[in-house]
Amino acid sequence: MLIQSSIYESYEATQNACKLCTPLGACLAFKGIRGGIPLLHGSQGCSTYIRRYLISHFREPMDIACSNFAEETAIFGGGLNMKSALENICKQYDPEFIGIATTCLSETIGDNVPMFLRDFRSSHSDEDLPPLTHVSTPSYSGTHIDGFHGAVHAIVASMVVREEGRSNHLNLLPGMVSPADLRYMKEILMDFGIPFVVLPDYSETLDGGPWDEYHRISEGGTPVEEIKRMGSAAATIEFGRILAEGDSTGLLLRQEYGVQVYRLGLPIGINETDRFFAALQSVSGSSIPDKYIRERGRLIDSYIDGHKIVAGATAAIYGEEDLVVGLVSFLSEIGITPILCASGGNSGSLKAKINEVNHNFIDQGGEVLSGVDFIDIAEAAVYLKPDILIGNSKGYFLARQINVPLIRVGFPIHDRVGGGRIHHLGYRGAQELFDRIANTVLEKQQIDSGRGFSYM
């Protein structure tokens, strides 16, 4: 086994974490609700940090309100600050939804946010207030993915209304994917002729066109009225093999409202996408549209064409746990050996889920590191010597250190343009990822060649 004391040399603090803070994920989920405003209950620095990360990735404006803790608030509590923040948001933005996430400071002093919200509601009529949803997101517990899924869970738990009868629509819980992926998923559902609710949907709120005039709240997002009827859906599809072991919103909808749930891995590559399309066939009773049969055929053809380029290459993958599992499934299809899989998440399920999608992972000498930072990942990568790195921009300095190319996927991508327009999912996403990986391997071979090479 690779894991030796040399990898875990004694150091006191995390250095370049392989994760981001929990309320960041919650703010992103809240931004996927139509007319929604995220509110952080804590210090202003937290909202500034989160805005900076989201704006640098999506290249779109991102307002995050804050209850603005100061020294006095940290001692006596933030109830008055929260009330003032909610009053100001309602007055200035006239939102259709407010999502409240707590930060380390408010969590540490033990602010009773549910009580604050009850008091606030009692002083206003229901007609005067938008829906208010709170999720507990201390950054010292979990990652941005935990905050994202926790926010989605809280939205459904607080807003879905019990209805008589069963609708024919589908709930899609895609997880933290790119706006381009969200648009592609909606395109697939429309081509199947399935009415749907996607939660959350920031495909327009964080990837829209230019404005002629300033909008306080970006257009787009999942309407509140659609969220309310998710309990009457015919079925729910929820992406995430790791998520299936934890706080699953799909499971909540099944337990509380009897909605059938399909819990799938992120559909990256042919195998996982086939499972997604099989679920859609089951829900809709329709066959797969020819458009996607042709997409799948072109993808297989490209695998054949490029196999001699990528076969035998090795890769180190890092990022959110479900993304890592999806990428392992994809790489296993195209002949690349994942020799290092790392995440700042620490669900305890990463290794088992990787083995589900690649039964040869352990036999091929693959290593899994959970709950680690980039110091741990760098030491393992130096030892294992992968041919390519696959992950977000936080691995850039590691790529420089070991002199291998970095293929950017996931979040955050802040040193390139178009992070929000990368396809990861479905046959289309696999096609784009395969082409990027094959061309990266070719480019590296050309750079390393003493005389270079070309067709002629």
Side-chain angles (χ1 to χ4, degrees), residues 169-429:
H169 77 270
L170 170 73
N171 300 324
L172 177 63
L173 304 171
M176 189 172 163
V177 299
S178 74
D181 284 329
L182 290 174
R183 288 191 292 270
Y184 183 39
M185 292 296 103
K186 292 193 291 183
E187 179 184 334
I188 291 171
L189 295 176
M190 285 187 285
D191 287 339
F192 264 92
I194 306 174
F196 59 86
V197 177
V198 176
L199 180 70
D201 181 8
Y202 43 85
S203 61
E204 301 297 332
T205 60
L206 287 174
D207 194 18
W211 295 343
D212 293 329
E213 58 184 31
Y214 176 69
H215 294 228
R216 283 192 171 92
I217 301 177
S218 305
E219 295 181 354
T222 310
V224 168
E225 290 305 314
E226 291 191 1
I227 297 171
K228 290 180 178 180
R229 66 188 187 95
M230 290 178 72
S232 64
T236 298
I237 292 180
E238 182 174 46
F239 295 153
R241 285 178 178 264
I242 300 292
L243 174 63
E245 302 297 310
D247 216 9
S248 163
T249 304
L251 186 58
L252 170 67
L253 285 165
R254 186 177 72 185
Q255 291 173 338
E256 295 295 323
Y257 303 98
V259 181
Q260 182 183 13
V261 60
Y262 296 84
R263 303 166 79 185
L264 310 175
L266 277 173
I268 303 177
I270 291 175
N271 289 330
E272 296 287 71
T273 302
D274 283 352
R275 295 180 71 236
F276 172 50
F277 274 87
L280 293 179
Q281 285 182 284
S282 177
V283 172
S284 66
S286 302
S287 58
I288 299 175
D290 288 344
K291 169 181 177 179
Y292 300 103
I293 294 175
R294 291 193 296 270
E295 275 190 4
R296 188 181 189 275
R298 287 192 294 269
L299 178 58
I300 292 174
D301 187 61
S302 71
Y303 282 9
I304 297 169
D305 294 340
H307 180 71
K308 60 182 177 295
I309 298 169
V310 300
T314 58
I317 313 166
Y318 60 87
E320 300 92 357
E321 290 179 293
D322 271 315
L323 178 62
V324 169
V325 174
L327 289 169
V328 169
S329 177
F330 168 63
L331 294 180
S332 303
E333 294 176 1
I334 65 176
I336 291 181
T337 302
I339 56 174
L340 175 62
C341 300
S343 178
N346 198 15
S347 67
S349 302
L350 182 58
K351 190 170 186 177
K353 296 303 177 181
I354 287 174
N355 283 326
E356 284 183 6
V357 298
N358 182 353
H359 302 303
N360 298 319
F361 180 77
I362 299 301
D363 293 338
Q364 293 170 340
E367 285 291 340
V368 177
L369 301 178
S370 297
V372 293
D373 64 13
F374 277 94
I375 299 302
D376 303 315
I377 297 171
E379 292 195 27
V382 168
Y383 179 88
L384 290 168
K385 297 180 175 59
D387 296 314
I388 55 175
L389 288 178
I390 304 177
N392 57 55
S393 292
K394 289 172 72 67
Y396 167 68
F397 290 105
L398 169 58
R400 283 178 60 91
Q401 176 186 343
I402 64 176
N403 191 31
V404 299
L406 169 62
I407 297 160
R408 290 164 175 80
V409 298
F411 177 92
I413 298 174
H414 48 235
D415 61 344
R416 294 290 186 274
V417 172
R421 292 186 293 275
I422 295 176
H423 283 109
H424 307 78
L425 306 187
Y427 304 128
R428 188 178 301 171

Side-chain angles (χ1 to χ4, degrees), residues 40 46 80 82 89 92 96 125 127 248 256 325 403 417 425 427 434 449 454:
L40 283 185
C46 295
L80 291 176
M82 172 167 282
I89 292 170
Q92 295 180 27
E96 299 176 46
S125 66
E127 293 76 16
S248 163
E256 295 295 323
V325 174
N403 191 31
V417 172
L425 306 187
Y427 304 128
F434 179 79
S449 172
S454 65

